[in-house]
Amino acid sequence: MSFLSGFKKNLNRAGQSIKQRTGGNDRTIDGEFEEEYERFKSLEKKSEKLAKEAKGYLDSMRAMTTAQVRITQTMEHFYDDAAPMGQAGIEYKRVIEKLDEEARSNLDSAYRATVLEPLGRFCSYFPEVNEAIKRRQKKLLDYDSSRAKVRKLVDKPSEDPQKLPRAEQEANLAREMYENLNAIIVNDLPKLIELRVPYIDPSFEALVKSQLRFSQTSYEQLEGLRHYFPPSAEEADHRVDDVLQQMRELTICGNF
């Protein structure tokens, strides 16, 4: 019985919604709710995008450090201890492995705790709010439908004298249920929107600090390799040109 009752209500709501869109029935407009609802949907869209991009940043950082480790593993095949750049290759591998460990042990865990998890908790409120808004919409459709029934009975009185009072009673009950739920949502939506400050501001600060820390660590570690390489770009270019010239002079490269 309860299933059939719910099914009938859903059909009535669907019919009421169609009539409202086609101008068949009046539609209750709540300007205050509409304003807060637009603000909420804007916040939801931006927050979910921020959470997605923040996770993408961490994934990209891990992919970058992993790629660096793979480069060092490949570079090992080109240099040994006796090669002029052999020690540089060994030191580079050590530095990159240390940065990869830093990313996995410190950046990853701290970033998740201070950026991703707070943003995830904040976004987890949105489905509950959307569900409450759906319930409000259903109650609003019930209310508008009951008002339409009352208006119809007023315009075309029924032979049953009790039909109009019953319809008015149903309309009053539907109005009370809608207004109670609507008041809660209109009151709570601004509070949810303001929660962005304690959630997003600290996460933004943590994001910047984590980037700064990793960048500083990377610079300090890689700076230690500077003495293995020519002090100027011009000298490096000359060395590359010299090597290319030697390759051209080889018989096997004569056709190029």
Side-chain angles (χ1 to χ4, degrees):
M1 187 70 179
S2 60
F3 168 77
L4 292 177
S5 176
F7 182 69
K8 184 178 179 181
K9 275 191 174 183
N10 288 335
L11 286 178
N12 290 338
R13 287 166 179 159
Q16 177 68 13
S17 179
I18 292 172
K19 288 179 181 179
Q20 287 178 343
R21 288 198 295 269
T22 57
N25 281 344
D26 292 339
R27 178 185 177 190
T28 300
I29 303 296
D30 186 333
E32 185 179 9
F33 167 79
E34 295 295 336
E35 180 181 352
E36 296 300 337
Y37 177 71
E38 290 301 320
R39 292 179 64 205
F40 164 70
K41 296 307 289 185
S42 176
L43 175 66
E44 178 185 28
K45 181 179 179 180
K46 293 174 182 176
S47 300
E48 290 180 342
K49 183 177 180 181
L50 176 60
K52 179 181 178 180
E53 298 298 341
K55 184 179 183 303
Y57 167 77
L58 181 61
D59 293 341
S60 297
M61 291 297 294
R62 294 296 298 114
M64 181 190 71
T65 58
T66 299
Q68 287 177 321
V69 170
R70 289 173 179 165
I71 288 175
T72 65
Q73 292 171 346
T74 303
M75 291 292 291
E76 277 189 308
H77 300 298
F78 291 89
Y79 298 119
D80 55 31
D81 294 342
M85 293 292 290
Q87 190 59 37
I90 293 172
E91 281 299 303
Y92 178 67
K93 184 173 185 293
R94 181 190 65 80
V95 166
I96 293 303
E97 288 177 344
K98 185 174 181 180
L99 290 176
D100 182 62
E101 177 61 26
E102 167 74 15
R104 284 189 290 108
S105 61
N106 295 326
L107 173 66
D108 193 290
S109 58
Y111 188 86
R112 290 183 186 278
T114 60
V115 178
L116 296 186
E117 290 177 9
L119 289 177
R121 285 197 298 272
F122 185 57
C123 292
S124 70
Y125 293 131
F126 298 147
E128 296 180 26
V129 175
N130 282 316
E131 191 60 35
I133 291 173
K134 287 180 182 178
R135 290 199 300 271
R136 173 199 176 275
Q137 181 62 20
K138 290 178 181 179
K139 297 302 179 186
L140 176 58
L141 288 173
D142 291 343
Y143 173 44
D144 286 341
S145 177
S146 62
R147 283 198 307 145
K149 288 179 182 178
V150 170
R151 189 180 302 107
K152 185 176 180 180
L153 287 172
V154 170
D155 294 340
K156 290 185 178 181
S158 171
E159 296 180 358
D160 182 358
Q162 297 301 317
K163 203 165 187 179
L164 178 59
R166 285 198 302 267
E168 291 175 334
Q169 184 178 6
E170 290 178 3
N172 289 333
L173 179 60
R175 175 180 58 79
E176 182 179 354
M177 295 177 67
Y178 158 69
E179 289 181 348
N180 288 341
L181 183 55
N182 185 65
I184 293 173
I185 292 176
V186 170
N187 182 65
D188 285 353
L189 278 182
K191 296 178 181 178
L192 174 65
I193 293 170
E194 290 305 315
L195 279 177
R196 73 186 188 280
V197 176
Y199 269 97
I200 295 180
D201 287 6
S203 294
F204 174 54
E205 180 181 351
L207 169 64
V208 174
K209 287 182 176 179
S210 66
Q211 289 177 319
L212 176 61
R213 176 180 175 179
F214 185 77
S215 297
Q216 285 180 329
T217 302
S218 299
Y219 175 79
E220 291 167 359
Q221 293 293 326
L222 291 170
E223 176 68 12
L225 302 176
R226 182 187 292 273
H227 64 279
Y228 288 109
F229 303 98
S232 67
E234 184 178 353
E235 183 178 343
D237 290 341
H238 285 315
R239 290 176 59 182
V240 172
D241 289 340
D242 290 343
V243 172
L244 289 175
Q245 183 58 38
Q246 292 176 34
M247 291 179 62
R248 294 189 189 101
E249 291 172 358
L250 294 175
T251 303
I252 195 172
C253 299
N255 295 327
F256 297 95

